[in-house]
Amino acid sequence: HGWCLIAMRLLHPMRHRNASLANVSTSFWTTRIRESVIQSKPKKLAICIHGHMKEAVPKVWRVVIVGGGTSGYLTASIMSMHLNRLGVQVSVVESPDVETIGVGEATIPSIHRLLDNLKLTEIDFMRRCSATYKLGIQFKDWHQQDHEYWHPFGHCGSLINQKEAFPYWLAHAKRGKNVRPFQSYSLHWNAALTGRAPISLESDSPIALTKSYAYHLDANAFAEVLKAIAVANGTAVFSGTVVDIVTST
């Protein structure tokens, strides 16, 4: 749904005398702006640690993210949370001339870790992003016409001898035995077909306890939520279009 570019401006620090400084190798970082590709290699600093010469990357003191939307502000919200307290300024340059692709965003269960890191409650997140629950992914007519395959989230079937059920199901299928579709062993698949939510109003469900569900949401609304978090964390937002990058030699 879009991409963002991260550019880092570097200081040239004085010789470091701290013997605990980590050995960090540098590499080329590539920046793509429209049709031009600019390559720049940050200057290295030779230091002596326990009698061995090491190379250290100059200190990063500013990070510029080119592009907004969900990708840009997701990057900004996470980076500013961890870098601002180290004295690193995170900025976003968002072009008023580039339209945001307004689509319904589909997520996977790992989004729960993101919400936890951003300190967003599920209720607040769902209300602000017009989110609905997602229990799996249906692939219809991908393999052939009138054929469908489901990828339900979470475990599918019970454990057999402390192992996942899939190898046993596959072995039966390879032997030509008549087996049910694998997704039919999934609680998520059955819940999706019957229009059931993973969250119960009366008690905890196995799906809710394992957080093995995700969301469909409004991408533009999610971008605004992420932008508000990034700004609250100290991210500076600039309106403009990047046409060139000047790098130091």
Side-chain angles (χ1 to χ4, degrees), residues 21-26 41 43-49 52-58:
L21 184 64
N23 174 25
V24 183
S25 61
T26 60
K41 190 172 184 179
K43 291 185 176 180
K44 298 179 181 179
L45 176 67
I47 59 175
C48 183
I49 301 178
H52 300 283
M53 296 303 296
K54 303 292 183 182
E55 291 178 338
V57 180

Side-chain angles (χ1 to χ4, degrees), residues 34-201:
R34 293 186 179 177
E35 300 299 325
S36 62
V37 176
I38 305 172
Q39 289 188 335
S40 174
K41 190 172 184 179
K43 291 185 176 180
K44 298 179 181 179
L45 176 67
I47 59 175
C48 183
I49 301 178
H50 300 306
H52 300 283
M53 296 303 296
K54 303 292 183 182
E55 291 178 338
V57 180
K59 182 180 183 298
V60 175
W61 63 279
R62 180 176 295 172
V63 176
V64 178
I65 302 169
V66 180
T70 52
S71 57
Y73 285 115
L74 174 58
T75 306
S77 60
I78 294 296
M79 294 191 76
S80 60
M81 181 182 298
H82 297 284
L83 295 181
N84 279 3
R85 64 174 179 264
L86 301 177
V88 179
Q89 174 63 53
V90 178
S91 303
V92 175
V93 179
E94 187 172 24
S95 174
D97 302 324
V98 179
E99 294 185 1
T100 302
I101 302 176
V103 296
E105 196 86 50
T107 62
I108 57 177
S110 58
I111 192 176
H112 290 285
R113 294 199 300 270
L114 173 65
L115 298 181
D116 291 341
N117 288 331
L118 295 177
K119 296 178 174 57
L120 267 177
T121 65
E122 183 177 62
I123 293 177
D124 185 41
F125 160 75
M126 294 190 71
R127 285 175 176 171
R128 295 168 68 181
C129 298
S130 301
T132 59
Y133 294 118
K134 177 182 176 184
L135 296 171
I137 306 170
Q138 180 188 24
F139 299 90
K140 188 173 179 61
D141 298 331
W142 280 50
H143 175 62
Q144 61 187 32
Q145 195 68 25
D146 299 326
H147 175 273
E148 69 174 24
Y149 164 73
W150 280 77
H151 170 68
F153 298 145
H155 290 291
C156 199
S158 301
L159 295 179
I160 302 176
N161 297 327
Q162 303 303 314
K163 296 179 180 179
E164 296 285 346
F166 180 74
Y168 297 94
W169 176 88
L170 183 61
H172 276 66
K174 290 294 185 181
R175 295 188 186 105
K177 295 185 178 181
N178 187 20
V179 295
R180 292 160 41 189
F182 186 61
Q183 64 263 17
S184 65
Y185 296 94
S186 166
L187 176 62
H188 299 66
W189 177 78
N190 282 278
L193 290 184
T194 55
R196 302 287 182 176
I199 306 296
S200 171
L201 296 177

